[in-house]
Amino acid sequence: AIHNEGFAPADLAGSRAWREQISAALAEGRTQLAECAVRGRDGQVIHLECALRVQFSEGGEYQGAARWLALARRSHLLPQVDLAALTLALAATAADGQRRAVHMAPASLATPGFVADVVALLQEAPAAAQRLAIEWVGAQALTEANTLLALAAEQWQACGTHMGVELVGAQVQQVTRAAELGIDYI
C-alpha cells in the first residue's frame, strides 16, 4: 500500500479535494481574520492577534485553522495562507489604525520569492506596516530557518514592521538566539 504523508490510499482523493478547496478559498478571497486582543498588565490592548479563517464553500461558515492548517502544511500552501493573513491584517490596520500581529510559518521563508512578496505588501501600506508585527511560534522558528529568518527580519523591519516570537514552556534558552536574529519582542 502506498501512503502519502499519513493519508491512506483511499484518503488521497479527499486530501486532493481539501487542497483544491483551500486553494480556491485563498484565490477567491474567502478568508477573514479572527482577532483576539493581547493586553498588557495595565489592561490596555497591545495588539490584536490575527488568525486566518477560511470559507470552503461560498456562503458557508468560516473555519478556524484547527480544521485545515495541517492539510495546508502538507499541501505546501502555507506561504499563500501567510500572505492572505498578512494582506487582511494590513487592510484592517490601514482602516482602523489598530496594532495587529499575524503568525507566519517558518516553512514559508524557504519558499522562493516569499520574503520579497511580504516586502512588497508592506511597502504598499507603509503606515499599516509600522503598526504590524509578524510573529513566529516556538523555538522551532529560531532553529529551523534562522538564517532566512534573520534576512527576513532585516528586510521587514526596514518597512517598520516588528518581529516577535512566542516562546513556549522551557524555551527560555532561546531568548539570546532571538536577540541575535533581530527579533523585537518575545
Side-chain angles (χ1 to χ4, degrees):
I2 298 172
H3 293 290
N4 181 17
E5 298 188 28
F7 290 98
D11 294 335
L12 289 177
S15 66
R16 212 171 293 119
W18 270 98
R19 177 182 168 64
E20 290 171 8
Q21 284 184 317
I22 295 168
S23 294
L26 293 170
E28 296 167 14
R30 287 185 281 118
T31 56
Q32 66 178 211
L33 293 178
E35 299 177 336
C36 177
V38 174
R39 298 181 183 278
R41 289 183 189 175
D42 61 0
Q44 297 297 312
V45 174
I46 297 170
H47 63 244
L48 299 175
E49 288 279 329
C50 298
L52 190 68
R53 297 171 53 87
V54 175
Q55 184 186 54
F56 292 107
S57 59
E58 239 177 282
E61 285 186 44
Y62 284 85
Q63 303 291 323
R67 176 119 162 97
W68 53 266
L69 189 60
L71 202 76
R73 182 178 295 114
R74 287 186 201 108
S75 299
H76 306 288
L77 292 172
L78 291 181
Q80 294 95 316
V81 167
D82 290 343
L83 292 172
L86 178 63
T87 299
L88 290 172
L90 285 167
T93 298
D96 66 14
Q98 178 65 51
R99 291 188 177 280
R100 285 181 171 76
V102 293
H103 289 150
M104 289 199 179
S108 294
L109 289 172
T111 302
F114 178 78
V115 173
D117 289 344
V118 172
V119 169
L121 289 171
L122 297 173
Q123 288 175 341
E124 288 173 15
Q130 292 181 19
R131 301 190 65 72
L132 182 78
I134 295 174
E135 294 183 346
W136 310 92
V137 178
Q140 174 186 15
L142 301 178
T143 57
E144 257 186 28
N146 56 26
T147 301
L148 294 171
L149 181 57
L151 292 171
E154 183 178 316
Q155 292 181 48
W156 298 344
Q157 288 167 323
C159 296
T161 301
H162 299 277
M163 301 289 292
V165 173
E166 288 185 21
L167 293 178
V168 190
Q171 299 170 344
V172 176
Q173 68 276 14
Q174 295 294 334
V175 172
T176 302
R177 184 68 189 133
E180 290 169 359
L181 291 173
I183 301 300
D184 294 308
Y185 66 91
I186 297 176

